[in-house]
Structures are given as C-alpha cells and as structure tokens.
Amino acid sequence: MTITPSRATTIKRLACLADVVGALLAAIEIMEPASQPEALETCATLASDIADGLDKLTRTKE
C-alpha cells in the first residue's frame, strides 16, 4: 500500500525546496568558482522537482 502525503505536506515540502534554491542562488557569488556549476545544477534539479510537484498539485483533486 502506497501512502501519499497530504496536499498541505506537499505544499510545505515544495516551499522548503524553493527556500533551498533561493539560498543557493543567493550564495553563488560568494562560492568558489569551481563550486558554482554544481550549485547551479542543484538549483536546476530542485527547480524541476518544484515544477513537477506544482504541476501534480494542479492536476490532483483533494
């Protein structure tokens, strides 16, 4: 049996991911240049996860 998180839990999770993306982006300028590409890739991956989660929320009825 698969347990799916509630809508509120999903929204909180997505908001936390968005906070992480924001913090990483804000820190890019002070990171070592060699670390910046990996941080940007992480931001892109998290942003994709957020977009997928939001898309799923808009297609799911409570």
Side-chain angles (χ1 to χ4, degrees):
M1 180 165 114
T2 303
I3 299 173
T4 57
S6 71
R7 186 176 183 89
T9 300
T10 299
I11 291 170
K12 287 178 187 176
R13 180 183 154 279
L14 294 174
C16 288
L17 287 176
D19 288 344
V20 170
V21 171
L24 272 173
L25 289 173
I28 291 291
E29 291 297 318
I30 61 171
M31 288 182 177
E32 294 290 329
S35 299
Q36 291 176 354
E38 185 178 355
L40 290 171
E41 182 63 35
T42 299
C43 287
T45 300
L46 291 173
S48 176
D49 291 347
I50 293 167
D52 290 346
L54 291 172
D55 185 57
K56 186 175 180 179
L57 280 176
T58 62
R59 298 175 192 283
T60 305
K61 296 182 181 181
E62 271 189 54

PDB file of all heavy atoms in Angstrom, residues 4-19 49-50 53-58 60 62:
ATOM      1  N   THR A   4       0.412   8.411   0.282  1.00  0.00           N
ATOM      2  CA  THR A   4       0.766   9.674  -0.358  1.00  0.00           C
ATOM      3  C   THR A   4       0.626  10.799   0.653  1.00  0.00           C
ATOM      4  O   THR A   4      -0.286  10.791   1.483  1.00  0.00           O
ATOM      5  CB  THR A   4      -0.142   9.954  -1.580  1.00  0.00           C
ATOM      6  OG1 THR A   4      -1.504   9.941  -1.145  1.00  0.00           O
ATOM      7  CG2 THR A   4       0.042   8.911  -2.651  1.00  0.00           C
ATOM      8  N   PRO A   5       1.545  11.763   0.589  1.00  0.00           N
ATOM      9  CA  PRO A   5       1.461  12.876   1.539  1.00  0.00           C
ATOM     10  C   PRO A   5       0.238  13.737   1.260  1.00  0.00           C
ATOM     11  O   PRO A   5      -0.258  13.802   0.136  1.00  0.00           O
ATOM     12  CB  PRO A   5       2.750  13.656   1.296  1.00  0.00           C
ATOM     13  CG  PRO A   5       3.225  13.240  -0.043  1.00  0.00           C
ATOM     14  CD  PRO A   5       2.669  11.877  -0.304  1.00  0.00           C
ATOM     15  N   SER A   6      -0.232  14.410   2.301  1.00  0.00           N
ATOM     16  CA  SER A   6      -1.379  15.302   2.134  1.00  0.00           C
ATOM     17  C   SER A   6      -0.973  16.486   1.267  1.00  0.00           C
ATOM     18  O   SER A   6       0.207  16.777   1.068  1.00  0.00           O
ATOM     19  CB  SER A   6      -1.863  15.807   3.489  1.00  0.00           C
ATOM     20  OG  SER A   6      -0.925  16.723   4.031  1.00  0.00           O
ATOM     21  N   ARG A   7      -1.964  17.187   0.756  1.00  0.00           N
ATOM     22  CA  ARG A   7      -1.726  18.372  -0.069  1.00  0.00           C
ATOM     23  C   ARG A   7      -0.923  19.414   0.710  1.00  0.00           C
ATOM     24  O   ARG A   7       0.017  19.999   0.185  1.00  0.00           O
ATOM     25  CB  ARG A   7      -3.065  18.930  -0.532  1.00  0.00           C
ATOM     26  CG  ARG A   7      -2.973  20.076  -1.501  1.00  0.00           C
ATOM     27  CD  ARG A   7      -4.384  20.469  -1.945  1.00  0.00           C
ATOM     28  NE  ARG A   7      -4.349  21.519  -2.914  1.00  0.00           N
ATOM     29  CZ  ARG A   7      -4.273  21.353  -4.220  1.00  0.00           C
ATOM     30  NH1 ARG A   7      -4.236  20.129  -4.709  1.00  0.00           N
ATOM     31  NH2 ARG A   7      -4.253  22.373  -5.039  1.00  0.00           N
ATOM     32  N   ALA A   8      -1.274  19.633   1.969  1.00  0.00           N
ATOM     33  CA  ALA A   8      -0.566  20.615   2.791  1.00  0.00           C
ATOM     34  C   ALA A   8       0.891  20.215   2.994  1.00  0.00           C
ATOM     35  O   ALA A   8       1.783  21.062   2.923  1.00  0.00           O
ATOM     36  CB  ALA A   8      -1.267  20.777   4.136  1.00  0.00           C
ATOM     37  N   THR A   9       1.138  18.941   3.211  1.00  0.00           N
ATOM     38  CA  THR A   9       2.506  18.455   3.380  1.00  0.00           C
ATOM     39  C   THR A   9       3.305  18.651   2.102  1.00  0.00           C
ATOM     40  O   THR A   9       4.462  19.077   2.141  1.00  0.00           O
ATOM     41  CB  THR A   9       2.499  16.964   3.782  1.00  0.00           C
ATOM     42  OG1 THR A   9       1.789  16.821   5.011  1.00  0.00           O
ATOM     43  CG2 THR A   9       3.906  16.423   3.929  1.00  0.00           C
ATOM     44  N   THR A  10       2.688  18.383   0.989  1.00  0.00           N
ATOM     45  CA  THR A  10       3.362  18.563  -0.301  1.00  0.00           C
ATOM     46  C   THR A  10       3.698  20.028  -0.535  1.00  0.00           C
ATOM     47  O   THR A  10       4.804  20.358  -0.965  1.00  0.00           O
ATOM     48  CB  THR A  10       2.480  18.018  -1.448  1.00  0.00           C
ATOM     49  OG1 THR A  10       2.261  16.623  -1.229  1.00  0.00           O
ATOM     50  CG2 THR A  10       3.137  18.229  -2.789  1.00  0.00           C
ATOM     51  N   ILE A  11       2.768  20.909  -0.228  1.00  0.00           N
ATOM     52  CA  ILE A  11       3.000  22.346  -0.410  1.00  0.00           C
ATOM     53  C   ILE A  11       4.134  22.821   0.501  1.00  0.00           C
ATOM     54  O   ILE A  11       5.013  23.581   0.067  1.00  0.00           O
ATOM     55  CB  ILE A  11       1.703  23.140  -0.170  1.00  0.00           C
ATOM     56  CG1 ILE A  11       0.722  22.842  -1.309  1.00  0.00           C
ATOM     57  CG2 ILE A  11       1.977  24.634  -0.060  1.00  0.00           C
ATOM     58  CD1 ILE A  11      -0.675  23.360  -1.088  1.00  0.00           C
ATOM     59  N   LYS A  12       4.155  22.358   1.741  1.00  0.00           N
ATOM     60  CA  LYS A  12       5.234  22.733   2.660  1.00  0.00           C
ATOM     61  C   LYS A  12       6.580  22.229   2.145  1.00  0.00           C
ATOM     62  O   LYS A  12       7.584  22.940   2.215  1.00  0.00           O
ATOM     63  CB  LYS A  12       4.963  22.182   4.058  1.00  0.00           C
ATOM     64  CG  LYS A  12       3.869  22.908   4.791  1.00  0.00           C
ATOM     65  CD  LYS A  12       3.608  22.280   6.142  1.00  0.00           C
ATOM     66  CE  LYS A  12       2.394  22.909   6.795  1.00  0.00           C
ATOM     67  NZ  LYS A  12       2.029  22.280   8.049  1.00  0.00           N
ATOM     68  N   ARG A  13       6.606  21.014   1.626  1.00  0.00           N
ATOM     69  CA  ARG A  13       7.835  20.448   1.084  1.00  0.00           C
ATOM     70  C   ARG A  13       8.331  21.274  -0.097  1.00  0.00           C
ATOM     71  O   ARG A  13       9.520  21.596  -0.199  1.00  0.00           O
ATOM     72  CB  ARG A  13       7.613  18.995   0.643  1.00  0.00           C
ATOM     73  CG  ARG A  13       8.833  18.336   0.060  1.00  0.00           C
ATOM     74  CD  ARG A  13       8.487  16.902  -0.430  1.00  0.00           C
ATOM     75  NE  ARG A  13       9.396  16.513  -1.469  1.00  0.00           N
ATOM     76  CZ  ARG A  13       9.326  16.843  -2.747  1.00  0.00           C
ATOM     77  NH1 ARG A  13       8.321  17.576  -3.177  1.00  0.00           N
ATOM     78  NH2 ARG A  13      10.211  16.448  -3.615  1.00  0.00           N
ATOM     79  N   LEU A  14       7.431  21.642  -0.983  1.00  0.00           N
ATOM     80  CA  LEU A  14       7.808  22.450  -2.146  1.00  0.00           C
ATOM     81  C   LEU A  14       8.299  23.830  -1.715  1.00  0.00           C
ATOM     82  O   LEU A  14       9.261  24.360  -2.288  1.00  0.00           O
ATOM     83  CB  LEU A  14       6.623  22.573  -3.107  1.00  0.00           C
ATOM     84  CG  LEU A  14       6.183  21.264  -3.783  1.00  0.00           C
ATOM     85  CD1 LEU A  14       4.917  21.488  -4.590  1.00  0.00           C
ATOM     86  CD2 LEU A  14       7.290  20.682  -4.630  1.00  0.00           C
ATOM     87  N   ALA A  15       7.670  24.403  -0.704  1.00  0.00           N
ATOM     88  CA  ALA A  15       8.104  25.710  -0.201  1.00  0.00           C
ATOM     89  C   ALA A  15       9.511  25.618   0.392  1.00  0.00           C
ATOM     90  O   ALA A  15      10.342  26.510   0.178  1.00  0.00           O
ATOM     91  CB  ALA A  15       7.123  26.232   0.848  1.00  0.00           C
ATOM     92  N   CYS A  16       9.789  24.544   1.091  1.00  0.00           N
ATOM     93  CA  CYS A  16      11.132  24.345   1.648  1.00  0.00           C
ATOM     94  C   CYS A  16      12.159  24.179   0.532  1.00  0.00           C
ATOM     95  O   CYS A  16      13.269  24.723   0.618  1.00  0.00           O
ATOM     96  CB  CYS A  16      11.153  23.142   2.579  1.00  0.00           C
ATOM     97  SG  CYS A  16      10.289  23.428   4.133  1.00  0.00           S
ATOM     98  N   LEU A  17      11.819  23.430  -0.500  1.00  0.00           N
ATOM     99  CA  LEU A  17      12.726  23.285  -1.636  1.00  0.00           C
ATOM    100  C   LEU A  17      12.985  24.629  -2.299  1.00  0.00           C
ATOM    101  O   LEU A  17      14.117  24.943  -2.683  1.00  0.00           O
ATOM    102  CB  LEU A  17      12.161  22.292  -2.660  1.00  0.00           C
ATOM    103  CG  LEU A  17      12.196  20.820  -2.294  1.00  0.00           C
ATOM    104  CD1 LEU A  17      11.516  19.992  -3.386  1.00  0.00           C
ATOM    105  CD2 LEU A  17      13.617  20.343  -2.085  1.00  0.00           C
ATOM    106  N   ALA A  18      11.945  25.447  -2.420  1.00  0.00           N
ATOM    107  CA  ALA A  18      12.111  26.782  -3.006  1.00  0.00           C
ATOM    108  C   ALA A  18      13.039  27.639  -2.151  1.00  0.00           C
ATOM    109  O   ALA A  18      13.861  28.394  -2.679  1.00  0.00           O
ATOM    110  CB  ALA A  18      10.750  27.457  -3.171  1.00  0.00           C
ATOM    111  N   ASP A  19      12.943  27.499  -0.826  1.00  0.00           N
ATOM    112  CA  ASP A  19      13.847  28.222   0.071  1.00  0.00           C
ATOM    113  C   ASP A  19      15.293  27.793  -0.145  1.00  0.00           C
ATOM    114  O   ASP A  19      16.206  28.623  -0.140  1.00  0.00           O
ATOM    115  CB  ASP A  19      13.460  27.998   1.535  1.00  0.00           C
ATOM    116  CG  ASP A  19      12.188  28.720   1.941  1.00  0.00           C
ATOM    117  OD1 ASP A  19      11.752  29.640   1.211  1.00  0.00           O
ATOM    118  OD2 ASP A  19      11.625  28.350   2.984  1.00  0.00           O
ATOM    119  N   ASP A  49      12.079  19.719  -9.752  1.00  0.00           N
ATOM    120  CA  ASP A  49      11.261  18.974  -8.790  1.00  0.00           C
ATOM    121  C   ASP A  49      10.085  19.815  -8.310  1.00  0.00           C
ATOM    122  O   ASP A  49       8.964  19.315  -8.164  1.00  0.00           O
ATOM    123  CB  ASP A  49      12.098  18.536  -7.590  1.00  0.00           C
ATOM    124  CG  ASP A  49      13.120  17.465  -7.923  1.00  0.00           C
ATOM    125  OD1 ASP A  49      13.046  16.872  -9.023  1.00  0.00           O
ATOM    126  OD2 ASP A  49      14.011  17.225  -7.078  1.00  0.00           O
ATOM    127  N   ILE A  50      10.345  21.103  -8.059  1.00  0.00           N
ATOM    128  CA  ILE A  50       9.278  22.010  -7.621  1.00  0.00           C
ATOM    129  C   ILE A  50       8.215  22.128  -8.717  1.00  0.00           C
ATOM    130  O   ILE A  50       7.017  22.027  -8.441  1.00  0.00           O
ATOM    131  CB  ILE A  50       9.853  23.393  -7.250  1.00  0.00           C
ATOM    132  CG1 ILE A  50      10.735  23.270  -6.005  1.00  0.00           C
ATOM    133  CG2 ILE A  50       8.731  24.404  -7.022  1.00  0.00           C
ATOM    134  CD1 ILE A  50      11.600  24.493  -5.744  1.00  0.00           C
ATOM    135  N   GLY A  53       6.166  19.016  -8.907  1.00  0.00           N
ATOM    136  CA  GLY A  53       5.256  18.934  -7.768  1.00  0.00           C
ATOM    137  C   GLY A  53       4.066  19.869  -7.917  1.00  0.00           C
ATOM    138  O   GLY A  53       2.931  19.498  -7.620  1.00  0.00           O
ATOM    139  N   LEU A  54       4.330  21.085  -8.378  1.00  0.00           N
ATOM    140  CA  LEU A  54       3.235  22.041  -8.594  1.00  0.00           C
ATOM    141  C   LEU A  54       2.300  21.564  -9.698  1.00  0.00           C
ATOM    142  O   LEU A  54       1.072  21.684  -9.581  1.00  0.00           O
ATOM    143  CB  LEU A  54       3.794  23.422  -8.928  1.00  0.00           C
ATOM    144  CG  LEU A  54       4.505  24.145  -7.784  1.00  0.00           C
ATOM    145  CD1 LEU A  54       5.191  25.402  -8.301  1.00  0.00           C
ATOM    146  CD2 LEU A  54       3.543  24.456  -6.654  1.00  0.00           C
ATOM    147  N   ASP A  55       2.875  21.027 -10.752  1.00  0.00           N
ATOM    148  CA  ASP A  55       2.065  20.502 -11.844  1.00  0.00           C
ATOM    149  C   ASP A  55       1.165  19.379 -11.351  1.00  0.00           C
ATOM    150  O   ASP A  55      -0.021  19.334 -11.657  1.00  0.00           O
ATOM    151  CB  ASP A  55       2.967  20.012 -12.976  1.00  0.00           C
ATOM    152  CG  ASP A  55       2.174  19.573 -14.184  1.00  0.00           C
ATOM    153  OD1 ASP A  55       1.389  20.397 -14.714  1.00  0.00           O
ATOM    154  OD2 ASP A  55       2.339  18.402 -14.602  1.00  0.00           O
ATOM    155  N   LYS A  56       1.729  18.500 -10.545  1.00  0.00           N
ATOM    156  CA  LYS A  56       0.939  17.383  -9.995  1.00  0.00           C
ATOM    157  C   LYS A  56      -0.181  17.907  -9.102  1.00  0.00           C
ATOM    158  O   LYS A  56      -1.296  17.384  -9.137  1.00  0.00           O
ATOM    159  CB  LYS A  56       1.856  16.441  -9.218  1.00  0.00           C
ATOM    160  CG  LYS A  56       1.172  15.197  -8.749  1.00  0.00           C
ATOM    161  CD  LYS A  56       2.154  14.248  -8.095  1.00  0.00           C
ATOM    162  CE  LYS A  56       1.451  12.993  -7.617  1.00  0.00           C
ATOM    163  NZ  LYS A  56       2.366  12.051  -6.999  1.00  0.00           N
ATOM    164  N   LEU A  57       0.124  18.941  -8.297  1.00  0.00           N
ATOM    165  CA  LEU A  57      -0.914  19.510  -7.423  1.00  0.00           C
ATOM    166  C   LEU A  57      -2.069  20.089  -8.234  1.00  0.00           C
ATOM    167  O   LEU A  57      -3.226  19.991  -7.831  1.00  0.00           O
ATOM    168  CB  LEU A  57      -0.328  20.606  -6.530  1.00  0.00           C
ATOM    169  CG  LEU A  57       0.434  20.162  -5.305  1.00  0.00           C
ATOM    170  CD1 LEU A  57       1.038  21.365  -4.590  1.00  0.00           C
ATOM    171  CD2 LEU A  57      -0.480  19.386  -4.338  1.00  0.00           C
ATOM    172  N   THR A  58      -1.753  20.723  -9.356  1.00  0.00           N
ATOM    173  CA  THR A  58      -2.821  21.333 -10.137  1.00  0.00           C
ATOM    174  C   THR A  58      -3.680  20.289 -10.837  1.00  0.00           C
ATOM    175  O   THR A  58      -4.803  20.587 -11.218  1.00  0.00           O
ATOM    176  CB  THR A  58      -2.247  22.297 -11.212  1.00  0.00           C
ATOM    177  OG1 THR A  58      -1.426  21.578 -12.115  1.00  0.00           O
ATOM    178  CG2 THR A  58      -1.456  23.416 -10.566  1.00  0.00           C
ATOM    179  N   THR A  60      -4.332  17.224  -9.424  1.00  0.00           N
ATOM    180  CA  THR A  60      -4.868  16.309  -8.415  1.00  0.00           C
ATOM    181  C   THR A  60      -5.973  16.970  -7.635  1.00  0.00           C
ATOM    182  O   THR A  60      -5.805  18.072  -7.134  1.00  0.00           O
ATOM    183  CB  THR A  60      -3.739  15.868  -7.448  1.00  0.00           C
ATOM    184  OG1 THR A  60      -2.668  15.317  -8.195  1.00  0.00           O
ATOM    185  CG2 THR A  60      -4.255  14.845  -6.467  1.00  0.00           C
ATOM    186  N   GLU A  62      -8.438  17.006  -4.313  1.00  0.00           N
ATOM    187  CA  GLU A  62      -8.375  16.522  -2.927  1.00  0.00           C
ATOM    188  C   GLU A  62      -9.419  15.497  -2.647  1.00  0.00           C
ATOM    189  O   GLU A  62     -10.460  15.437  -3.110  1.00  0.00           O
ATOM    190  CB  GLU A  62      -8.507  17.695  -1.961  1.00  0.00           C
ATOM    191  CG  GLU A  62      -7.170  18.284  -1.632  1.00  0.00           C
ATOM    192  CD  GLU A  62      -7.257  19.299  -0.515  1.00  0.00           C
ATOM    193  OE1 GLU A  62      -7.784  18.977   0.558  1.00  0.00           O
ATOM    194  OE2 GLU A  62      -6.787  20.388  -0.736  1.00  0.00           O
TER     195      GLU A  62
END
